[in-house]
Amino acid sequence: MLTYNLTTSIGAYAFYNCYGFNGPLTLSIHLPTIEPYTFYNCTGITGKIFVSDSVTSIGEYAFYNCVSLNESLTIGSSVEIVGQYAFCNCKGLTGPLKINGKLKSIEKFTFCNCSNLKSELKLPDSVEFIDVNAFTDCKSLTGDLNIPPYLEKI
């Protein structure tokens, strides 16, 4: 189990390829950003991911190939950008996928190959940009897709 309740910073690449970690990950409610590659290829991290309302950005490849994440993904209300490949290949995520609040940009391949996410895709009205292949191979997403009113580019 990885628990960071009071942490205000975790550097880029901090746990890169730490595939030996087993169990759930609890992120601090004081964390302002999740840096690029922070948990890249941490294949033993399980459970759900809750990105708190204190986080404003999720860096590229932050959770790439965390294949054992096996529950829901909630992105907090202050996140404005989710970097490219941030959750790509998190095949174990089953949903729901909850994207809240201020999100403006979903970069390329952000959720690619999250093939077991079983939920509706509800994007907040704040989304302005969805890059190429952002949801490629998310085969289990269901329901209606509502295009946000301020979306400028898909």
Side-chain angles (χ1 to χ4, degrees):
M1 175 189 286
L2 295 171
T3 303
Y4 299 96
N5 289 327
L6 300 175
T7 304
T8 58
S9 175
I10 301 174
Y13 296 88
F15 298 100
Y16 184 93
N17 276 334
C18 288
Y19 43 82
F21 286 134
N22 291 312
L25 170 66
T26 303
L27 296 171
S28 171
I29 60 168
H30 305 289
L31 199 63
T33 62
I34 299 173
E35 298 291 335
Y37 297 87
T38 300
F39 298 102
Y40 179 101
N41 204 34
C42 291
T43 57
I45 297 174
T46 61
K48 62 184 174 184
I49 290 291
F50 174 77
V51 178
S52 78
D53 292 341
S54 67
V55 175
T56 59
S57 66
I58 301 171
E60 61 187 29
Y61 294 88
F63 293 94
Y64 179 85
N65 204 42
C66 290
V67 295
S68 296
L69 290 171
N70 58 357
E71 291 181 34
S72 62
L73 171 59
T74 301
I75 296 176
S77 63
S78 296
V79 174
E80 293 185 10
I81 185 168
V82 180
Q84 63 184 11
Y85 295 88
F87 295 97
C88 183
N89 211 35
C90 292
K91 297 176 184 181
L93 286 172
T94 57
L97 170 60
K98 295 178 185 174
I99 302 174
N100 300 309
K102 298 180 182 177
L103 186 65
K104 292 181 181 177
S105 181
I106 302 171
E107 300 297 314
K108 65 182 177 183
F109 295 95
T110 297
F111 298 100
C112 73
N113 207 22
C114 291
S115 54
N116 292 309
L117 272 174
K118 295 179 179 97
S119 68
E120 290 184 324
L121 179 58
K122 294 182 180 179
L123 299 173
D125 288 348
S126 58
V127 174
E128 298 172 354
F129 177 75
I130 301 173
D131 209 343
V132 299
N133 296 0
F135 295 95
T136 294
D137 279 333
C138 291
K139 301 171 187 171
S140 298
L141 291 174
T142 61
D144 297 333
L145 172 61
N146 295 318
I147 304 297
Y150 302 107
L151 188 68
E152 297 173 8
K153 183 179 177 188
I154 297 179

